Amino acid sequence: MVPLVICHFVASEVTKVRLFHFYTFVLLFFLVSFLGIGFSNNPVVATKALFREVAYFAAVFIGLITFLPDRSYIYRAIELIIISGVGVGLLGIFQQLNSGFVLYGAHASPFFNEHGTFGVMMSYCLIYSLVMWRSTAKLTFLNGSLLKVSSTIFLLATFLSYSKAAWVSILVSVLLLAILWGMESDRDLSQKIPGLGALVVLPPVILSLAILAAGIRLDELAYYFSLEYSSNQERINRFAAAVNMAMENPFTGVGVRNYVFVYEDYKSIVFNTIHADSEGLTSHNMYLKILANRGFVAFGLFIQLLLVYILDSLNMIFSMGKRDRDLIIAGLVGNISYMVHWLANTLWVGRIEAVFWFSISITYLVYSQKLD
């Protein structure tokens, strides 16, 4: 990461080369991934997976930039995400309560197939709901009271998903949200403290209450986060296999979505776990997945496009008017929740991937209009 930051600084600040922009890194990332198809263990699977990724990017990102320049359409889309998320969140909460707080109980089928995906989607919805609650922009249907209700539903749904990665990502995101709101507010510190303090304290309090209600003891909770827990041991094995793939195929990787086909050739049994038969399904880490499947070049481009997006967003947050600032904060913090979750899961699936590109496109829609 450090060399990439230095290279970006040299390119954009010293030489002023505008080629080093988000669009460039996205195009290069997809191009390098495409060129690697010829070296894939299963080219057909790699081609289908890559074209699906490009289709989501083109439909959501390019489509939004091109055809939806009116801010009102963006707010309607956000409102639709929140309203749809409330239904999914209530279904997940019902399933979890109905299952007696059984771990991994909130599948929210048929919308999501596992608790991590459910937790990430609820994290996105929570961020958007919180930001729109505070925003000066008015949504068509949702108002302040309804957004308070939706935020509460999303917070409970995230915690009741019992996805450890979702818990960590939402706590990081809420803290970041408090920091951004605190830095951009014109009010003095004494006025900021109550609201920002509540925003930081409320999530861990609700998480603690949910854990107590489920009857999970502190020693049991610590066990779920320890290397003695089989699910965590399984992840270590998957991480090790991904690193082996990247080291032996540094330029092309093993092929987009080819991890599952070559796992047996690269697996490292760091821990003997009960999940050994299913370990080859995924690397359980988005960053290592890209590194293993596409090689170091594509991995560097992916990290760089994320870095440029974050830097552009932060730059705009402190230079734009409040209404546009709220849009950018919602997209940035929602995506950072997703990026944190990537450390323990992949979840590069259509439903979440669409929201990811949508959140990024918000920033560059505002950015492109600013340039005009």
Side-chain angles (χ1 to χ4, degrees), residues 189-201:
L189 185 61
S190 62
Q191 293 177 305
K192 298 176 188 176
I193 288 177
L196 297 179
L199 187 63
V200 174
V201 171

PDB file of all heavy atoms in Angstrom, residues 189-201:
ATOM      1  N   LEU A 189     -17.457  22.644  19.358  1.00  0.00           N
ATOM      2  CA  LEU A 189     -17.280  21.300  19.890  1.00  0.00           C
ATOM      3  C   LEU A 189     -18.345  20.928  20.910  1.00  0.00           C
ATOM      4  O   LEU A 189     -18.823  19.797  20.946  1.00  0.00           O
ATOM      5  CB  LEU A 189     -15.888  21.171  20.512  1.00  0.00           C
ATOM      6  CG  LEU A 189     -15.498  19.786  21.019  1.00  0.00           C
ATOM      7  CD1 LEU A 189     -15.510  18.794  19.862  1.00  0.00           C
ATOM      8  CD2 LEU A 189     -14.125  19.819  21.666  1.00  0.00           C
ATOM      9  N   SER A 190     -18.767  21.873  21.745  1.00  0.00           N
ATOM     10  CA  SER A 190     -19.745  21.586  22.782  1.00  0.00           C
ATOM     11  C   SER A 190     -21.092  21.175  22.194  1.00  0.00           C
ATOM     12  O   SER A 190     -21.833  20.395  22.797  1.00  0.00           O
ATOM     13  CB  SER A 190     -19.937  22.813  23.686  1.00  0.00           C
ATOM     14  OG  SER A 190     -20.434  23.909  22.937  1.00  0.00           O
ATOM     15  N   GLN A 191     -21.408  21.692  20.980  1.00  0.00           N
ATOM     16  CA  GLN A 191     -22.657  21.320  20.336  1.00  0.00           C
ATOM     17  C   GLN A 191     -22.555  19.974  19.630  1.00  0.00           C
ATOM     18  O   GLN A 191     -23.546  19.280  19.448  1.00  0.00           O
ATOM     19  CB  GLN A 191     -23.061  22.398  19.317  1.00  0.00           C
ATOM     20  CG  GLN A 191     -23.445  23.739  19.954  1.00  0.00           C
ATOM     21  CD  GLN A 191     -23.759  24.779  18.898  1.00  0.00           C
ATOM     22  OE1 GLN A 191     -22.950  25.061  18.018  1.00  0.00           O
ATOM     23  NE2 GLN A 191     -24.952  25.351  18.972  1.00  0.00           N
ATOM     24  N   LYS A 192     -21.358  19.601  19.223  1.00  0.00           N
ATOM     25  CA  LYS A 192     -21.169  18.362  18.479  1.00  0.00           C
ATOM     26  C   LYS A 192     -21.143  17.134  19.381  1.00  0.00           C
ATOM     27  O   LYS A 192     -21.573  16.051  18.998  1.00  0.00           O
ATOM     28  CB  LYS A 192     -19.845  18.400  17.710  1.00  0.00           C
ATOM     29  CG  LYS A 192     -19.743  19.485  16.664  1.00  0.00           C
ATOM     30  CD  LYS A 192     -18.342  19.462  16.063  1.00  0.00           C
ATOM     31  CE  LYS A 192     -18.104  20.642  15.144  1.00  0.00           C
ATOM     32  NZ  LYS A 192     -16.724  20.664  14.634  1.00  0.00           N
ATOM     33  N   ILE A 193     -20.604  17.291  20.593  1.00  0.00           N
ATOM     34  CA  ILE A 193     -20.315  16.141  21.440  1.00  0.00           C
ATOM     35  C   ILE A 193     -21.525  15.239  21.700  1.00  0.00           C
ATOM     36  O   ILE A 193     -21.421  14.010  21.545  1.00  0.00           O
ATOM     37  CB  ILE A 193     -19.681  16.598  22.776  1.00  0.00           C
ATOM     38  CG1 ILE A 193     -18.248  17.081  22.515  1.00  0.00           C
ATOM     39  CG2 ILE A 193     -19.682  15.463  23.791  1.00  0.00           C
ATOM     40  CD1 ILE A 193     -17.560  17.618  23.740  1.00  0.00           C
ATOM     41  N   PRO A 194     -22.712  15.780  22.079  1.00  0.00           N
ATOM     42  CA  PRO A 194     -23.834  14.866  22.391  1.00  0.00           C
ATOM     43  C   PRO A 194     -24.224  13.971  21.219  1.00  0.00           C
ATOM     44  O   PRO A 194     -24.335  12.753  21.370  1.00  0.00           O
ATOM     45  CB  PRO A 194     -24.965  15.834  22.768  1.00  0.00           C
ATOM     46  CG  PRO A 194     -24.265  17.066  23.237  1.00  0.00           C
ATOM     47  CD  PRO A 194     -23.052  17.185  22.373  1.00  0.00           C
ATOM     48  N   GLY A 195     -24.439  14.567  20.044  1.00  0.00           N
ATOM     49  CA  GLY A 195     -24.876  13.780  18.899  1.00  0.00           C
ATOM     50  C   GLY A 195     -23.819  12.805  18.414  1.00  0.00           C
ATOM     51  O   GLY A 195     -24.101  11.632  18.157  1.00  0.00           O
ATOM     52  N   LEU A 196     -22.567  13.267  18.297  1.00  0.00           N
ATOM     53  CA  LEU A 196     -21.502  12.406  17.821  1.00  0.00           C
ATOM     54  C   LEU A 196     -21.188  11.322  18.838  1.00  0.00           C
ATOM     55  O   LEU A 196     -20.893  10.180  18.477  1.00  0.00           O
ATOM     56  CB  LEU A 196     -20.244  13.236  17.528  1.00  0.00           C
ATOM     57  CG  LEU A 196     -20.385  14.295  16.423  1.00  0.00           C
ATOM     58  CD1 LEU A 196     -19.075  15.057  16.247  1.00  0.00           C
ATOM     59  CD2 LEU A 196     -20.801  13.657  15.119  1.00  0.00           C
ATOM     60  N   GLY A 197     -21.260  11.675  20.117  1.00  0.00           N
ATOM     61  CA  GLY A 197     -21.019  10.678  21.163  1.00  0.00           C
ATOM     62  C   GLY A 197     -22.055   9.573  21.128  1.00  0.00           C
ATOM     63  O   GLY A 197     -21.725   8.391  21.246  1.00  0.00           O
ATOM     64  N   ALA A 198     -23.310   9.959  20.925  1.00  0.00           N
ATOM     65  CA  ALA A 198     -24.376   8.954  20.838  1.00  0.00           C
ATOM     66  C   ALA A 198     -24.171   8.047  19.636  1.00  0.00           C
ATOM     67  O   ALA A 198     -24.390   6.836  19.703  1.00  0.00           O
ATOM     68  CB  ALA A 198     -25.732   9.649  20.750  1.00  0.00           C
ATOM     69  N   LEU A 199     -23.716   8.638  18.515  1.00  0.00           N
ATOM     70  CA  LEU A 199     -23.497   7.860  17.303  1.00  0.00           C
ATOM     71  C   LEU A 199     -22.402   6.815  17.507  1.00  0.00           C
ATOM     72  O   LEU A 199     -22.473   5.709  16.986  1.00  0.00           O
ATOM     73  CB  LEU A 199     -23.121   8.795  16.152  1.00  0.00           C
ATOM     74  CG  LEU A 199     -23.023   8.166  14.755  1.00  0.00           C
ATOM     75  CD1 LEU A 199     -24.380   7.623  14.325  1.00  0.00           C
ATOM     76  CD2 LEU A 199     -22.509   9.184  13.747  1.00  0.00           C
ATOM     77  N   VAL A 200     -21.378   7.168  18.283  1.00  0.00           N
ATOM     78  CA  VAL A 200     -20.271   6.241  18.529  1.00  0.00           C
ATOM     79  C   VAL A 200     -20.636   5.196  19.583  1.00  0.00           C
ATOM     80  O   VAL A 200     -20.281   4.025  19.460  1.00  0.00           O
ATOM     81  CB  VAL A 200     -19.007   7.020  18.969  1.00  0.00           C
ATOM     82  CG1 VAL A 200     -17.898   6.061  19.369  1.00  0.00           C
ATOM     83  CG2 VAL A 200     -18.532   7.945  17.847  1.00  0.00           C
ATOM     84  N   VAL A 201     -21.382   5.597  20.600  1.00  0.00           N
ATOM     85  CA  VAL A 201     -21.673   4.709  21.729  1.00  0.00           C
ATOM     86  C   VAL A 201     -22.826   3.757  21.442  1.00  0.00           C
ATOM     87  O   VAL A 201     -22.816   2.595  21.875  1.00  0.00           O
ATOM     88  CB  VAL A 201     -21.989   5.549  22.986  1.00  0.00           C
ATOM     89  CG1 VAL A 201     -22.505   4.650  24.113  1.00  0.00           C
ATOM     90  CG2 VAL A 201     -20.749   6.311  23.436  1.00  0.00           C
TER      91      VAL A 201
END
